[in-house]
């Protein structure tokens, strides 16, 4: 697992300790009195930019152009995932952005476990990241090879819920998945105005 910047971790811990911010959690478990919430499983969040990702762009180029926007931490109540906390990169460093509920926090933990099973026995070291593909309402766990990059491809594990035509929690070769997403009309990401 990657190590988050100290400022990002401090921002999330301060938010967890803030009664006002914790009230924003949508999970009843996150609001229990006496509950000790912790931040775990920090992942850098990258945004796939519609301007650089088209049907003719190779996945390696599109992923290389994906910019890091912050970090996401799973908020745990003991062994239970109750939410996610996200930080954003700004001029002043890392600041707390928001808590997120819904299906993605638990889906992230599931994908991390699948990634571990998928890469067991592989000689390649993979760095886990989150990839946001907003035009397709998709977030995926992105396994980026950090050693032996010429022989190993990037792997994407879409989180549930996944877009129509994409199977959630199934490891996909990044080329195949990004090609599938681009079939809808040339542009990989739908640009909204």
């Amino acid at each position: 697992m990657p190590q988050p910047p100290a400022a990002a971790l401090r921002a999330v811990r301060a938010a967890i300790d803030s009664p006002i911010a914790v009230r924003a959690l949508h999970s009843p478990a996150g609001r229990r009195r006496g509950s000790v919430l912790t931040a775990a499983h920090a992942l850098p969040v990258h945004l796939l930019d519609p301007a650089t990702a088209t049907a003719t762009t190779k996945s390696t180029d599109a992923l290389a152009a994906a910019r890091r926007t912050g970090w996401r931490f799973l908020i745990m109540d003991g062994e239970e995932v109750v939410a996610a906390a996200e930080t954003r990169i700004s001029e002043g460093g890392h600041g707390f952005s928001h808590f997120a509920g819904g299906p993605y926090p638990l889906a992230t933990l599931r994908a991390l476990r699948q990634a571990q099973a998928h890469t067991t026995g592989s000689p390649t070291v993979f760095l886990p990241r989150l990839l946001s593909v907003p035009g397709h309402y998709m977030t995926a766990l992105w396994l980026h090879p950090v050693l032996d990059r010429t022989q190993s491809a990037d792997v994407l594990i879409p989180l549930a819920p996944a877009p129509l035509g994409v199977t959630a929690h199934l490891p996909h070769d990044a080329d195949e998945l990004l090609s599938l997403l681009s079939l809808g009309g040339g542009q990989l990401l739908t640009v909204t105005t």
Side-chain angles (χ1 to χ4, degrees):
M1 293 295 291
Q3 290 298 313
L9 183 57
R10 278 194 306 271
V12 168
R13 285 183 175 159
I16 290 172
D17 291 340
S18 165
I20 296 168
V22 170
R23 272 187 246 144
L25 287 172
H26 297 291
S27 168
R31 292 191 221 158
R32 284 198 303 248
R33 287 184 170 253
S35 178
V36 177
L37 301 177
T38 58
H41 307 292
L43 293 168
V45 178
H46 293 258
L47 177 69
L48 198 59
D49 186 357
T52 59
T54 65
T56 58
T57 307
K58 291 178 17 181
S59 71
T60 52
D61 295 337
L63 292 174
R67 66 181 170 85
R68 185 178 328 162
T69 58
W71 286 76
R72 187 174 300 164
F73 298 76
L74 295 183
I75 303 302
M76 310 291 290
D77 181 4
E79 296 296 314
E80 181 185 1
V81 177
V82 295
E86 195 156 319
T87 66
R88 291 279 179 215
I89 298 172
S90 66
E91 290 180 15
H94 289 269
F96 176 74
S97 174
H98 63 279
F99 286 112
Y104 284 124
L106 191 55
T108 301
L109 184 60
R110 179 179 172 188
L112 284 168
R113 290 177 178 151
Q114 288 174 303
Q116 187 174 21
H118 181 74
T119 59
T120 297
S122 171
T124 303
V125 175
F126 289 91
L127 181 66
R129 302 170 170 176
L130 285 175
L131 182 68
S132 176
V133 187
H136 288 285
Y137 303 101
M138 184 181 86
T139 299
L141 182 65
W142 170 15
L143 303 178
H144 178 65
V146 291
L147 299 175
D148 191 28
R149 293 181 65 188
T150 58
Q151 296 180 358
S152 300
D154 289 277
V155 175
L156 298 175
I157 303 175
L159 304 183
L164 188 62
V166 174
T167 304
H169 295 291
L170 178 68
H172 295 268
D173 177 273
D175 278 330
E176 293 173 6
L177 182 57
L178 295 180
S179 293
L180 175 67
L181 292 176
S182 69
L183 291 176
Q187 188 84 4
L188 176 62
L189 303 177
T190 306
V191 180
T192 56
T193 56

